[in-house]
Amino acid sequence: MTEEAPERVARVVLVDDHRMFRTGVRAEIGRTEVTGIDVVGEADDVDSAVRVVAETRPDVVLLDVHLPGGGGVEVLRRSAGLMGEQGGVKFLALSVSDAAEDVIGVIRGGARGYVTKTITGTDLVDAIFRIGDGDAVFSPRLAGFVLDAFAATDTPPVDEDLDRLTQREREVLRLIARGYAYKEIAKQLFISVKTVESHVSAVLRKLQLSNRHELTRWATARRLV
């Protein structure tokens, strides 16, 4: 018995700076005859993302938050004209990060939803079609960040200590504070253990902390965990 062809097809661009992750996503959801997802382009940094999205005009862009060249927010800013058109391009953030500032940043930039990389292939396909239909889609608990942010009347104060850290250092900081081992962090972020160690050293130096215990307390006090 053969599988029925999908009733409709969504044209998708994958934007992520990890080639292995893009390959995995394409293998998981890109079988058009089964899932209805047609992957029409890929990009690994801001410049290539803006170019590919403009050239292909997909229905939905799966957008990583942290990218070389300015991050997902910069892709959204430079693609704003394509979002505003009738039947324009829609963006769904797909990231390892579940930090409030990352979620809020891309939603303010124009993304229609935000899901984490723990999402299953089936749920991701469903999210793509829902985004294409104009719905908003969030992984559990992330919607609360957006509601709180847009309900707030005051702009949150700038955290100068946190601003010293790069986006990648912030990701490592949060995972360290949550009790992840270096090997687990490396797997989560698709980087080497040695790179994780370098990021931890940089974070400790920039924040003038001595050890992992102090780092965890620092992150907890700022509700980053």
Side-chain angles (χ1 to χ4, degrees), residues 99-109 114 138 141-157 223:
E101 66 264 27
D102 288 337
V103 179
I104 294 164
V106 294
I107 297 303
R108 287 192 186 279
Y114 194 116
F138 295 91
R141 96 183 182 89
L142 300 189
F145 295 154
V146 179
L147 292 174
D148 291 344
F150 284 92
T153 55
D154 297 326
T155 303
R223 299 181 179 179

Side-chain angles (χ1 to χ4, degrees), residues 13-19 21-22 25 43-46 49 53 61-68 70-76 91-98 102-103 105-106 111 113-117 167-168 171 188-191:
V13 164
L14 305 177
V15 180
D16 194 287
D17 60 340
H18 295 104
R19 182 179 57 81
F21 180 77
R22 297 198 311 272
V25 172
D44 60 3
D45 61 17
V46 169
V53 171
V61 178
L62 291 181
L63 179 67
D64 193 10
V65 175
H66 302 143
L67 295 166
V73 171
E74 180 65 11
V75 176
L76 291 163
F91 288 79
L92 172 61
L94 174 63
S95 176
V96 69
S97 170
D98 60 0
D102 288 337
V103 179
V106 294
Y114 194 116
V115 295
T116 61
K117 290 181 177 179
Q167 291 288 355
R168 181 63 85 193
E171 290 178 335
Q188 283 267 350
L189 301 181
F190 299 92
I191 58 180

Side-chain angles (χ1 to χ4, degrees), residues 163-206:
D163 282 350
R164 293 193 186 100
L165 307 182
T166 66
Q167 291 288 355
R168 181 63 85 193
E169 287 168 353
R170 294 185 193 189
E171 290 178 335
V172 172
L173 164 65
R174 291 188 189 94
L175 293 174
I176 284 288
R178 290 173 184 173
Y180 283 72
Y182 285 5
K183 287 184 178 180
E184 294 172 321
I185 296 172
K187 184 177 181 181
Q188 283 267 350
L189 301 181
F190 299 92
I191 58 180
S192 69
V193 173
K194 186 174 182 179
T195 300
V196 174
E197 293 173 348
S198 296
H199 285 315
V200 172
S201 296
V203 170
L204 292 174
R205 184 182 69 255
K206 290 180 179 181

